[in-house]
Amino acid sequence: MTGTPGELAKTYDPTQVESGWYERWDSAGHFAPRAATGPDDDPFVIVMPPPNVTGELHIGHALFSTVEDIMIRWQRMRGRPTLWIPGADHAGIAGQWVVEKEIAKDGLTRHDLGRDQFLATVRDWMDSYRGRIREQLRILGASTDWSRFAFTMDPGPARAVRTAFKQLYDKGLIYRGERMINWCPRCRTALSDLEVNYEDEVSSIWQVRYQIADEPDRWITVATTRPETILGDTGIAVHPDDTRYADLLGKEAIVPVLGRRIPIVADDAVDPAFGTGAVKVTPAHDPVDFGIGQRHGLPALNVMNLDDTMNAEAGPFAGQTTMACRLNIVERLHEHDQLVKVEPHTHAVGHCDRCGTIVQPLISTQWWVNMQPLAAPAIEVVKSGQVRMVPERFTGIYLHWMENILDWCISRQLWWGHRIPVWYCKDCEHMTATDQETIDRCEACGSTQIEQDPDVLDTWFSSGLWPFSTLGWPDKTPDLARFYPGEVMETGYDIIFLWVARMIFFGIEFMGEPPFETVYFHGTVRDENGQRMSKTKGNVLDPTEITAQFGTDALRYALVTAGATGADLKLSMGKIEASRNFANKLWQAARFVIANTGDATIARDADDAPAEPTGPALSMTDKWVLSRLARTTADTTRALERFEFGEAARGLYEFFWSEFADWYIEAAKVRLQGTDEAAKAAVRQTLVYVFERTLRLLHPTMPFVSEELWQHLPHAGEMLIVAPWSTAGASYPAEERAFTRLQEATRAIRNARAESNIEPGKRIAAIVVGPYGAEFEATRAEFAFLARVAPDELQIVVEATAPEGALTLAVEDFAIYLPLDGLVDRDAERTRLTKEIEAAEAEVGRANAMLSNEGFIARAPDKVVQVQRDRLKGAQERVRLLQERLTALG
Ligand SMILES: [Zn+2]
Ligand SMILES: [Zn+2]
């Protein structure tokens, strides 16, 4: 919580700092877009990927909310009206599955409860989670407009779903048809191709021989990985050019066990080189066979129930599970000497994405979206660059999928979701599609004997409408006019087809243009070893726990700096701790700045913010840090424009810690002790100005600590969240180069001191020799302080020879002599150096021995050989340096 300037607590406590700001920003109305200003109104809009209301937020949510919040906060500071629409998704199959697991603890199924009571249970469950999602997004600092919070099952989005369905139905783009689908016997629903995961599994392949009808001694052998489907065979197919079977074409084979006669046909889809070259055709249970069946008029004979058991068509196996049937039919084939061979076989088996059950391909009547007409313009907008993907590589992935898209199965045999808005007439069989919640008569014959389709829509159907259903569509609302299309869609690459593609084609279809210009894909958060986080591995990082311990700012900083744009990221507790340390560094620096400027007059600019320092009192050091700030400001802006959030954050860290805190503040300490009042005023102005501007640049990434500290510094306006984004000030390239030389000289002296074991507090003498006398003279006091040189023993000269016993340091193109007489025990130092030289020479000997061993060179990988070469080079350099030092000691 803020106090008045000068009252900053001694220690940084993230919990304290982050406790009040969110409510204050929100209640000040800063999360809502400001009112339109006229024709120049250029709102920046992001629609949040609505988290599923099925559980706690995880680290992936923390990542997307951080990245989106950075964009929103940055654009808000740039002065654009910003709108970030929060929401929650009902999660269809996932939502139903979670609640089914929940009631299973009491031994109940959804059928025990019945549709109405089950749906009421789901709604209760979701309501409690909605609140938790909201609470967690607040903790993460997400500056979303809560007044526009949307839930996919709310009346508005639900009406949008019915309207979209009806419009597509009326255009003939939605149809009902019997097709091959993926069926999950556990969830008892159809799944889209994207909801099936294929995993290689070792199973068997069975070769089975079928008798040729009317020729008792003749057989044809086929191979199958699912023997239970033999019961649904309606044909045998061979390749048309396969001479082995030419004389069998047009004849019939007999289905084992059942004795049905089925035709032998020729089809191009058969690979003559695979197995025996003859395949069984089961149109009802295999997508390839379905195609063959259609081409040859073979019936699709369904032999399975929807609960993974065999139906009456399976004859003696009716009622058995598919797996029991498989074992029993194999045994029967063996008894009848029709089993030719069994071999181990690895093949890809489809599993339900939600529950992991093996998926059965089967024929079923479902609702479909005719994809070709919708895909064409959605391909075009990406090809033309109207919609851009970041990183770029996702463009090709998107286009490939869209160009090969199949019709989309949108009906699900679930209860939880948007019910299909179609009513079947019992009198005339007409189907009435409607955008109304309910109707009471058939639109064709007026009969009241109508019944709604029991199924619900794929959850991604409503997700695809999200960018405009959240703004009031199908009504022509002011929000829709002002905020559609948005600018950026930010989401995970794993849902590029499930969600992103569908938003694009629905946006074009219903709104006439795609819903965004840029899609930014973030990566997956992995642990520090690059492993996926999972409860079983025990490597899950919980955002709630992390923010409680280290603060939201630390978590946000760690997340955006844990990987490159669009790549998977590796997050570790070490990284989070280091980020917390950064916040702490900001805090401590603020305490210094406040302590040293609190009572001073700080000049203000036209906007009443601390003015950019100018004038003759500015020293080289001031100009250096101002120039570095200007560069950092430009770099940060450019990085954010390119979606390089990690680059932006890292650059600010480097500038703030390694330049402003480590060098400028240190140098400032000396100058503030001086007597030159004009110089002191310049230092104070620079401290405040640089810090205030840096906090503005940091705000999107670390909103809490930046706001809190900003409040304690001289500033313009009420809150940092709406302060203007910083623009780059003046550059001083000559001073930047000069200060860099001072830094190099300081580092060289510090290293020499450390290597000569000089006490850290001890001031030494130094002679700076070379062409930069004026620069060093100008920063004499600062340089002496930073390098711990006694000010009256610092000589700055154009030419000199090294005094006897002095160390010679070569820095760029000038030299520094350190006369260390009296500071080091010369005998002890000589002994130490001699020992070190011996050790380094031994190292050279060992490395040389390795490298002259031909066996080693021949067998060892290049990398290992290179390590030895580097080791040799390093040791040789040490010998040279140490000998030089020894000679210098005399
Ligand atoms: Zn399932
Ligand atoms: Zn009717």
Side-chain angles (χ1 to χ4, degrees):
M1 302 290 283
T2 182
T4 51
E7 284 179 38
L8 200 55
K10 264 205 177 107
T11 49
Y12 166 62
D13 174 0
T15 313
Q16 184 80 19
V17 171
E18 295 173 5
S19 66
W21 279 115
Y22 193 93
E23 281 67 31
R24 265 194 269 172
W25 292 323
D26 194 8
S27 57
H30 296 319
F31 294 170
R34 59 170 168 69
T37 46
D40 293 339
D41 187 46
D42 180 24
F44 179 82
V45 182
I46 296 183
V47 179
M48 175 188 291
N52 288 346
V53 275
T54 48
E56 302 287 340
L57 286 198
H58 53 70
I59 200 81
H61 295 112
L63 174 64
F64 89 63
S65 101
T66 298
V67 170
E68 291 172 26
D69 195 45
I70 289 174
M71 290 192 258
I72 285 285
R73 284 180 187 267
W74 176 50
Q75 298 289 356
R76 188 186 289 123
M77 290 177 82
R78 290 184 125 186
R80 296 177 67 182
T82 53
L83 173 59
W84 186 14
I85 305 174
D89 195 284
H90 67 284
I93 186 168
Q96 176 160 331
W97 172 221
V98 166
V99 179
E100 283 187 295
K101 274 196 293 192
E102 207 52 33
I103 59 173
K105 289 175 188 165
D106 301 325
L108 295 171
T109 69
R110 72 193 214 230
H111 303 283
D112 295 332
L113 296 184
R115 188 162 188 147
D116 289 345
Q117 205 195 327
F118 179 76
L119 287 179
T121 309
V122 179
R123 276 191 183 277
D124 283 352
W125 167 274
M126 304 274 155
D127 278 347
S128 70
Y129 269 90
R130 263 168 88 155
R132 273 150 91 169
I133 285 179
R134 217 173 151 116
E135 192 41 47
Q136 285 170 326
L137 285 168
R138 294 170 85 90
I139 290 170
L140 292 167
S143 57
T144 62
D145 184 353
W146 292 108
S147 71
R148 288 178 169 86
F149 183 89
F151 180 50
T152 45
M153 294 296 281
D154 282 346
R159 187 159 66 95
V161 165
R162 294 191 302 268
T163 306
F165 186 99
K166 178 164 169 53
Q167 287 188 13
L168 292 173
Y169 180 83
D170 290 346
K171 281 176 86 169
L173 292 176
I174 281 184
Y175 64 92
R176 193 165 186 251
E178 193 175 51
R179 290 286 178 89
M180 176 70 50
I181 50 131
N182 307 294
W183 180 262
C184 174
R186 205 242 41 108
C187 296
R188 294 201 197 178
T189 181
L191 302 171
S192 79
D193 294 338
L194 294 173
E195 292 167 311
V196 180
N197 297 323
Y198 289 90
E199 285 162 32
D200 275 348
E201 279 180 15
V202 181
S203 168
S204 302
I205 187 159
W206 289 267
Q207 284 196 8
V208 180
R209 58 178 196 161
Y210 289 40
Q211 195 173 33
I212 305 299
D214 310 321
E215 295 186 42
D217 297 331
R218 215 160 159 206
W219 304 81
I220 185 165
T221 302
V222 300
T224 180
T225 56
R226 295 190 295 155
E228 65 276 17
T229 62
I230 287 173
L231 304 167
D233 285 352
T234 56
I236 291 213
V238 298
H239 192 273
D241 302 335
D242 195 336
T243 50
R244 291 172 293 180
Y245 301 110
D247 67 321
L248 286 178
L249 291 178
K251 296 194 171 171
E252 289 178 320
I254 295 171
V255 176
V257 184
L258 298 179
R260 275 192 286 108
R261 285 169 168 244
I262 53 174
I264 299 170
V265 300
D267 194 280
D268 286 330
V270 180
D271 176 5
F274 182 78
T276 60
V279 299
K280 60 197 248 359
V281 183
T282 323
H285 298 289
D286 182 278
V288 175
D289 294 7
F290 182 72
I292 297 176
Q294 291 218 311
R295 287 192 286 278
H296 300 277
L298 306 175
L301 180 62
N302 188 351
V303 293
M304 292 175 197
N305 294 312
L306 299 178
D307 62 355
D308 205 31
T309 60
M310 306 304 291
N311 68 19
E313 296 288 351
F317 307 100
Q320 298 182 4
T321 66
T322 53
M323 202 44 77
C325 173
R326 177 179 296 184
L327 298 173
N328 291 330
I329 196 169
V330 165
E331 198 178 311
R332 193 76 74 89
L333 291 167
H334 181 67
E335 282 166 10
H336 291 195
D337 196 22
Q338 283 185 273
L339 194 59
V340 179
K341 207 175 354 174
V342 187
E343 287 177 325
H345 180 68
T346 302
H347 65 131
V349 177
H351 294 257
C352 171
D353 179 51
R354 192 45 46 194
C355 73
T357 303
I358 291 179
V359 162
Q360 294 287 0
L362 52 82
I363 297 271
S364 168
T365 300
Q366 302 285 345
W367 286 96
W368 304 82
V369 175
N370 177 2
M371 280 312 306
Q372 290 303 337
L374 292 171
I379 290 168
E380 200 40 50
V381 293
V382 170
K383 272 191 176 162
S384 71
Q386 194 183 343
V387 174
R388 188 170 70 101
M389 311 234 168
V390 179
E392 166 73 30
R393 67 176 184 277
F394 289 106
T395 308
I397 295 170
Y398 169 90
L399 289 174
H400 179 79
W401 187 70
M402 285 299 266
E403 281 161 359
N404 294 283
I405 199 162
L406 301 172
D407 283 358
W408 173 18
C409 177
I410 50 168
S411 42
R412 296 288 180 277
Q413 288 64 53
L414 305 172
W415 289 351
W416 176 237
H418 296 107
R419 197 153 165 187
I420 289 172
V422 171
W423 302 71
Y424 303 106
C425 178
K426 287 180 182 157
D427 289 335
C428 77
E429 292 187 355
H430 177 79
M431 295 189 285
T432 306
T434 175
D435 54 8
Q436 303 300 306
E437 204 174 346
T438 183
I439 54 170
D440 53 14
R441 56 191 67 241
C442 167
E443 68 180 357
C445 73
S447 162
T448 55
Q449 293 296 303
I450 54 172
E451 202 170 352
Q452 188 173 8
D453 192 303
D455 292 350
V456 301
L457 286 164
D458 181 0
T459 185
W460 296 102
F461 190 91
S462 55
S463 311
L465 308 171
W466 202 232
F468 43 97
S469 67
T470 49
L471 294 171
W473 188 86
D475 292 335
K476 289 189 166 63
T477 62
D479 264 12
L480 193 63
R482 186 176 179 209
F483 299 121
Y484 189 94
E487 189 160 318
V488 176
M489 169 49 57
E490 195 279 346
T491 188
Y493 61 75
D494 51 335
I495 51 177
I496 181 171
F497 308 135
L498 284 168
W499 195 37
V500 176
R502 287 164 181 165
M503 282 188 286
I504 293 175
F505 64 65
F506 274 167
I508 297 171
E509 173 68 18
F510 296 110
M511 293 296 299
E513 57 184 322
F516 32 73
E517 295 163 15
T518 306
V519 189
Y520 171 83
F521 292 104
H522 62 244
T524 304
V525 185
R526 297 170 179 271
D527 75 3
E528 56 191 314
N529 302 313
Q531 301 284 313
R532 249 177 198 281
M533 291 188 188
S534 76
K535 280 193 182 138
T536 44
K537 283 186 203 146
N539 61 351
V540 173
L541 294 178
D542 173 8
T544 324
E545 280 172 30
I546 293 169
T547 51
Q549 197 183 348
F550 297 97
T552 296
D553 284 329
L555 175 62
R556 290 169 63 118
Y557 183 88
L559 280 169
V560 294
T561 53
T565 300
D568 284 355
L569 29 100
K570 292 181 186 174
L571 187 66
S572 64
M573 287 314 287
K575 221 164 245 169
I576 293 160
E577 241 178 293
S579 306
R580 193 269 324 270
N581 294 346
F582 178 41
N584 186 52
K585 186 78 180 175
L586 290 164
W587 194 268
Q588 297 311 328
R591 282 177 52 79
F592 174 84
V593 172
I594 292 164
N596 286 284
T597 61
D599 302 329
T601 309
I602 299 299
R604 304 295 187 115
D605 62 17
D607 296 329
D608 201 34
E612 183 176 4
T614 52
L618 289 183
S619 74
M620 181 183 103
T621 317
D622 299 326
K623 288 181 177 170
W624 163 75
V625 82
L626 291 170
S627 202
R628 290 295 309 137
L629 172 67
R631 208 179 284 269
T632 304
T633 304
D635 289 349
T636 307
T637 305
R638 196 175 318 118
L640 292 177
E641 278 165 354
R642 294 177 182 169
F643 301 92
E644 290 166 352
F645 309 105
E647 282 306 300
R650 272 188 290 267
L652 287 166
Y653 177 103
E654 277 305 310
F655 170 70
F656 188 83
W657 195 316
S658 309
E659 301 193 295
F660 182 67
D662 282 357
W663 292 90
Y664 186 77
I665 286 186
E666 287 305 304
K669 286 176 182 169
V670 188
R671 294 165 67 209
L672 288 169
Q673 285 160 12
T675 51
D676 182 343
E677 288 306 321
K680 283 158 79 169
V683 173
R684 292 196 189 101
Q685 190 72 28
T686 306
L687 281 171
V688 170
Y689 170 80
V690 172
F691 205 167
E692 195 268 345
R693 293 302 171 111
T694 308
L695 290 175
R696 291 199 217 178
L697 299 175
L698 265 172
H699 180 74
T701 309
M702 302 175 91
F704 294 100
V705 70
S706 59
E707 178 78 76
E708 175 74 19
L709 295 178
W710 188 82
Q711 294 288 338
H712 284 77
L713 292 173
H715 61 263
E718 291 287 309
M719 292 186 185
L720 176 57
I721 187 173
V722 284
W725 185 245
S726 200
T727 49
S731 283
Y732 303 96
E735 281 79 2
E736 274 197 59
R737 279 194 299 277
F739 194 82
T740 306
R741 266 191 291 276
L742 181 146
Q743 288 178 305
E744 288 303 316
T746 306
R747 284 195 194 103
I749 294 174
R750 285 177 181 170
N751 289 343
R753 293 176 59 112
E755 282 165 28
S756 304
N757 293 324
I758 294 171
E759 277 176 55
K762 180 84 187 169
R763 299 276 178 150
I764 60 170
I767 308 166
V768 178
V769 189
Y772 306 111
E775 286 171 21
F776 280 95
E777 210 52 76
T779 50
R780 168 180 275 276
E782 291 139 280
F783 175 58
F785 175 77
L786 293 167
R788 295 242 170 263
V789 172
D792 48 359
E793 288 184 76
L794 172 61
Q795 294 180 53
I796 299 165
V797 295
V798 179
E799 265 182 34
T801 47
E804 199 196 333
L807 288 183
T808 302
L809 311 177
V811 186
E812 292 181 8
D813 56 348
F814 63 102
I816 298 170
Y817 303 137
L818 298 183
L820 292 179
D821 265 3
L823 288 177
V824 284
D825 177 336
R826 299 176 65 142
D827 286 338
E829 182 64 0
R830 263 192 221 99
T831 314
R832 189 184 67 82
L833 286 172
T834 311
K835 269 189 189 158
E836 279 196 21
I837 290 169
E838 278 166 16
E841 279 173 341
E843 178 92 0
V844 170
R846 280 195 297 274
N848 264 329
M850 290 286 273
L851 289 166
S852 53
N853 178 342
E854 282 169 25
F856 168 75
I857 299 290
R859 280 194 312 271
D862 289 354
K863 252 199 205 153
V864 176
V865 175
Q866 191 56 44
V867 166
Q868 288 304 320
R869 292 214 172 95
D870 292 346
R871 183 176 156 214
L872 175 64
K873 220 172 131 190
Q876 283 170 335
E877 180 64 10
R878 272 207 303 289
V879 171
R880 193 185 65 76
L881 281 171
L882 292 163
Q883 259 162 357
E884 210 174 85
R885 184 77 50 82
L886 188 61
T887 315
L889 274 177

